[in-house]
Amino acid sequence: MSEKNREGKRTAREKLAVEREKQKSADKRRRALIVGGAVVAVLGLAAVIGVVAANAGKEDESEASGPVVVPSGAQGKDGLAIPVGKDSAKSTLTVWEDFRCPACKSFETTYRPVIHELTEAGELKVEYHLVTLIDGNMGGTGSRNAANAAACAQDAGKYPAYHDVLFDNQPPEVDDAYADNDKLVELAGKVDGLDTPAFRKCVQNGTHNGWVAKSHQAFNKGGFSGTPTVLFKGENIYQDRAMTPAKLKKMVLEENKG
């Protein structure tokens, strides 16, 4: 082989080697860019998720830790009980209710006459605790909004009548009609003297939402199984299949004699 041919082959090999090195470098840079881009994308996604989670957490905290405005005249631990009846009554009935709860309406429809009779006679005091169980189970805010409106009615000294109106007009459980504050204001028209600018503002602003949330937290901490929970002398009488309005009246009157 001539010297010229050998030189030509050597030059070709060197050029090929140089091209291979260039290709390796290009591949390495490309891989680095791909990996780097993926890392940036993952980090970016994580950042977005983190922001969303953080904001969601803030919203949850805001809802739960919002201002707790206790309704006028509320009693008990943390002012979570709305009393109906005379403080001098010897017997107390503690009722945990949700205005969207069909079973609560059934209890009210059945026992309301005797409860009214006993409270008006000074024999019984009822402490109402408001719960948002159906909001949690079915979604929506009707339980909370109705409870807030009821607390607004308590501010106006109209709780018992408005409480009854809410149960009398209770929508189907799956219908979150009480989420509409205008509906709650409309129902206030059924109670003499309740539909006032102060009541409307209280309802529309959700003045007692924080208080309602705290009441529901107390319900959860109490370990109760559902609504209504109706306690007399510490026992949930709603779970007594033999309980009747007549039996409840007899229990109250006998307790008061003792």
Side-chain angles (χ1 to χ4, degrees), residues 116-129:
H116 281 190
E117 177 188 345
L118 292 171
T119 55
E120 290 168 7
E123 298 284 355
L124 180 69
K125 174 183 175 182
V126 184
E127 294 182 343
Y128 289 98
H129 295 258

Side-chain angles (χ1 to χ4, degrees), residues 9-239:
K9 288 185 178 181
R10 185 167 58 248
T11 301
R13 284 196 298 270
E14 290 173 354
K15 286 182 179 181
L16 183 59
V18 169
E19 288 300 322
R20 285 175 177 170
E21 287 300 319
K22 285 182 179 180
Q23 187 64 40
K24 287 181 181 179
S25 298
D27 290 343
K28 186 180 295 185
R29 285 195 302 272
R30 187 164 55 254
R31 284 195 299 270
L33 287 172
I34 292 171
V35 172
V39 170
V40 169
V42 169
L43 291 176
L45 179 60
V48 170
I49 292 172
V51 169
V52 171
N55 288 340
K58 288 177 182 176
E59 289 172 2
D60 291 343
E61 289 173 8
S62 175
E63 181 67 28
S65 63
V68 177
V69 181
V70 177
S72 176
Q75 300 176 352
K77 180 176 172 56
D78 297 325
L80 297 178
I82 293 180
V84 173
K86 298 177 182 178
D87 287 336
S88 59
K90 292 182 179 180
S91 292
T92 299
L93 193 69
T94 302
V95 181
W96 297 81
E97 289 183 319
D98 183 327
F99 287 111
R100 288 181 69 186
C101 163
C104 296
K105 179 177 181 177
S106 178
F107 167 76
E108 285 294 330
T109 301
T110 303
Y111 286 85
R112 180 186 296 168
V114 74
I115 289 176
H116 281 190
E117 177 188 345
L118 292 171
T119 55
E120 290 168 7
E123 298 284 355
L124 180 69
K125 174 183 175 182
V126 184
E127 294 182 343
Y128 289 98
H129 295 258
L130 306 183
V131 181
T132 59
L133 194 65
I134 306 301
D135 283 357
N137 292 343
M138 305 294 294
T141 60
S143 299
R144 184 200 66 185
N145 290 13
N148 171 69
C152 295
Q154 170 67 13
D155 289 338
K158 304 286 185 178
Y159 176 82
Y162 189 62
H163 163 275
D164 291 353
V165 165
L166 287 176
F167 278 116
D168 287 344
N169 293 273
Q170 184 189 79
E173 186 177 14
V174 296
D175 181 359
D176 194 25
Y178 282 170
D180 182 358
N181 285 328
D182 290 339
K183 175 67 175 178
L184 297 170
V185 170
E186 176 190 329
L187 291 175
K190 296 179 178 291
V191 178
D192 290 342
L194 178 56
D195 186 4
T196 64
F199 174 79
R200 287 174 175 247
K201 182 179 179 181
C202 182
V203 171
Q204 298 293 350
N205 290 350
T207 298
H208 298 294
N209 282 355
W211 175 83
V212 174
K214 192 165 186 177
S215 178
H216 186 75
Q217 289 170 2
F219 174 78
N220 286 335
K221 291 178 181 177
F224 303 120
S225 59
T227 54
T229 291
V230 185
L231 305 176
F232 184 71
K233 297 175 62 177
E235 296 295 324
N236 187 0
I237 63 171
Y238 185 73
Q239 294 179 335

